[in-house]
Amino acid sequence: MQTALAEKVVKMLKDAGMTVTTVESCTGGLLSGTLVDVAGVSDVLNQAYVTYANEAKQSLAGVKAETLEAFGAVSEQTAREMAEGGAKAAKADACLSVTGIAGPDGGTAEKPVGLVYIGCYVNGNTVVKRNVFSGSRRKVREQSVHAALQLLFECLQNGK
C-alpha cells in the first residue's frame, strides 16, 4: 500500500516538475527509503535528511534552538520548522518532516508514545498534522510514513 502511494506521489511530483526532500526524526530514513523504492525517484529526490538529534535538526534543517527549548523536538512548531528548513536547505519544492515518539518508552502524559507530528511544505505553504499511532515501534514508524505520504498527496492535489 505504501509503495502504491509512494508511486502516486512520485508521479505527481514528476508531472509537476517538482522536487522533494524529507527531514526525518523518529522514522530514521524509512520515509525517504520508501520513496527510493520507486523507480525513477531520482528525477524528484536529490537528498534527504535524518535529524534524530536536536543538533541535527538545527544544523541541517534550521530549526531554532528557541523552538526546541520552548516546545520540544516533538511539537507542531518543530515539525513546521523542519519542513520549511529542509525545503530551503535542499532547494526543494516540497518537504515532508516527521518528528515523534516511536516508543516503546519515552512518552509522557502530555506527549504519549505514538505521538507524531508530520509537516508538509509545498511551494511556500506548510501544513502540520498531529497524529497518535499505536502498536510496536516499527508499526508507529510505518504508520508515520504512510501518513506523511498521504499528507503530501493531499497537499499536491490541493496545490499547497
Side-chain angles (χ1 to χ4, degrees):
M1 185 165 164
Q2 286 181 19
T3 304
L5 184 54
E7 288 171 353
K8 279 186 199 175
V9 166
V10 169
K11 183 179 183 330
M12 291 173 83
L13 290 162
K14 277 186 187 182
D15 290 349
M18 296 173 69
T19 56
V20 67
T21 191
T22 62
V23 180
E24 302 177 65
S25 188
C26 66
T27 48
L30 191 60
L31 176 55
S32 57
T34 301
L35 288 169
V36 170
D37 283 342
V38 178
V41 74
S42 58
D43 292 340
V44 299
L45 178 71
N46 295 323
Q47 59 195 324
Y49 308 96
V50 175
T51 60
Y52 211 70
N54 284 349
E55 293 79 14
K57 289 174 183 65
Q58 292 176 270
S59 65
L60 296 173
V63 175
K64 296 182 198 101
E66 300 81 30
T67 301
L68 291 165
E69 194 173 304
F71 304 103
V74 180
S75 66
E76 176 182 346
Q77 296 83 351
T78 296
R80 179 176 305 279
E81 289 185 19
M82 287 168 69
E84 293 170 355
K88 183 178 177 184
K91 297 177 179 62
D93 303 301
C95 180
L96 284 171
S97 67
V98 183
T99 185
I101 305 166
D105 50 10
T108 65
E110 291 177 357
K111 295 184 180 183
V113 168
L115 174 64
V116 179
Y117 288 93
I118 299 170
C120 182
Y121 169 95
V122 175
N123 288 329
N125 297 304
T126 307
V127 174
V128 178
K129 289 212 171 167
R130 180 186 188 273
N131 304 272
V132 181
F133 301 119
S134 61
S136 67
R137 181 176 182 82
R138 180 71 185 191
K139 287 288 183 202
V140 168
R141 293 174 65 225
E142 289 171 351
Q143 291 171 81
S144 299
V145 168
H146 180 77
L149 291 171
Q150 184 64 42
L151 181 57
L152 180 56
F153 177 80
E154 291 166 9
C155 288
L156 290 170
Q157 254 189 338
N158 300 332
K160 59 179 173 179

